[in-house]
């Protein structure tokens, strides 16, 4: 199964992946409309540490701590990827604290979210991959 992977060394810290991610998950007809709606939180994000910017996304761990830390059973592994059942989530955010990569975040409504491989564009890739100017984000099998 193909998944989104980030090469932190190539990331420019431009935040375009966040914009494309928010647009892809918004259901809006244009990026301008999506960005005006502040309720849409991207599922991939840029972090800065030691003056280095890099994109953070789910790394698809083989034995994920987020799943182990989830007390309600809302997180599970399906086809090798962590899935979130928002109906089971109790909002304790233990999964967010458990992830060593910081790949889980909350939406503006407080729901736990992660990259779920959004709608593909005309090239068959997630929007963040297509929008990355330095090709730091790839969509591939590993």
């Amino acid at each position: 199964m193909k998944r989104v992977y980030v090469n932190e060394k190539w990331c420019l810290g431009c935040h375009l992946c966040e914009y494309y991610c928010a647009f892809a998950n918004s259901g809006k007809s244009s990026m301008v409309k999506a960005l005006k709606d502040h309720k849409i939180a991207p599922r991939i994000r840029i972090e800065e540490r030691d003056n280095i910017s890099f994109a953070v996304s789910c790394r698809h761990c083989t034995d994920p701590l987020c799943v182990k830390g989830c007390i309600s059973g809302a997180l599970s592994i399906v086809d090798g990827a962590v899935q979130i059942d928002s109906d089971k989530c109790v909002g304790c955010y233990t999964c967010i604290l458990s992830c060593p990569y910081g790949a889980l975040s909350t939406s503006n409504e407080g729901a736990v979210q992660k990259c779920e491989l959004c709608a593909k564009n005309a090239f068959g890739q997630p929007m963040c991959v297509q929008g990355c100017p330095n090709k730091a984000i790839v969509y591939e099998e590993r």
Side-chain angles (χ1 to χ4, degrees):
M1 174 184 274
K2 286 186 170 184
R3 296 196 176 89
V4 172
Y5 294 94
V6 178
N7 183 339
E8 291 92 354
K9 293 177 184 175
W10 293 356
C11 180
L12 301 172
C14 66
H15 297 269
L16 281 174
C17 59
E18 293 177 330
Y19 300 138
Y20 281 103
C21 180
F23 171 56
N25 289 292
S26 71
K28 305 284 183 184
S29 60
S30 76
M31 186 172 294
V32 173
K33 289 179 183 178
L35 295 177
K36 284 183 178 179
D37 186 352
H38 298 291
K39 294 179 183 172
I40 302 164
R43 296 169 185 210
I44 191 169
R45 67 185 186 287
I46 300 293
E47 284 195 1
E48 293 186 26
R49 290 188 198 140
D50 301 323
N51 296 324
I52 298 171
S53 297
F54 56 92
V56 176
S57 179
C58 183
R59 296 188 183 207
H60 316 292
C61 304
T62 54
D63 192 21
L65 293 174
C66 60
V67 174
K68 289 180 178 180
C70 180
I71 62 171
S72 66
L75 274 73
S76 61
I77 301 173
V78 177
D79 295 329
V82 174
Q83 300 294 316
I84 302 169
D85 183 344
S86 56
D87 293 333
K88 290 183 181 179
C89 181
V90 296
C92 68
Y93 303 138
T94 305
C95 56
I96 294 173
L97 298 172
S98 299
C99 177
Y101 304 108
L104 293 152
S105 61
T106 58
S107 68
N108 290 347
E109 291 83 29
V112 175
Q113 64 182 15
K114 64 177 263 317
C115 175
E116 298 292 342
L117 299 181
C118 62
K120 311 293 184 288
N121 61 19
F123 299 100
Q125 298 177 333
M127 294 295 288
C128 61
V129 174
Q130 187 64 31
C132 182
N134 210 37
K135 305 299 180 209
I137 305 172
V138 295
Y139 181 55
E140 63 188 23
E141 281 191 46
R142 289 192 181 174

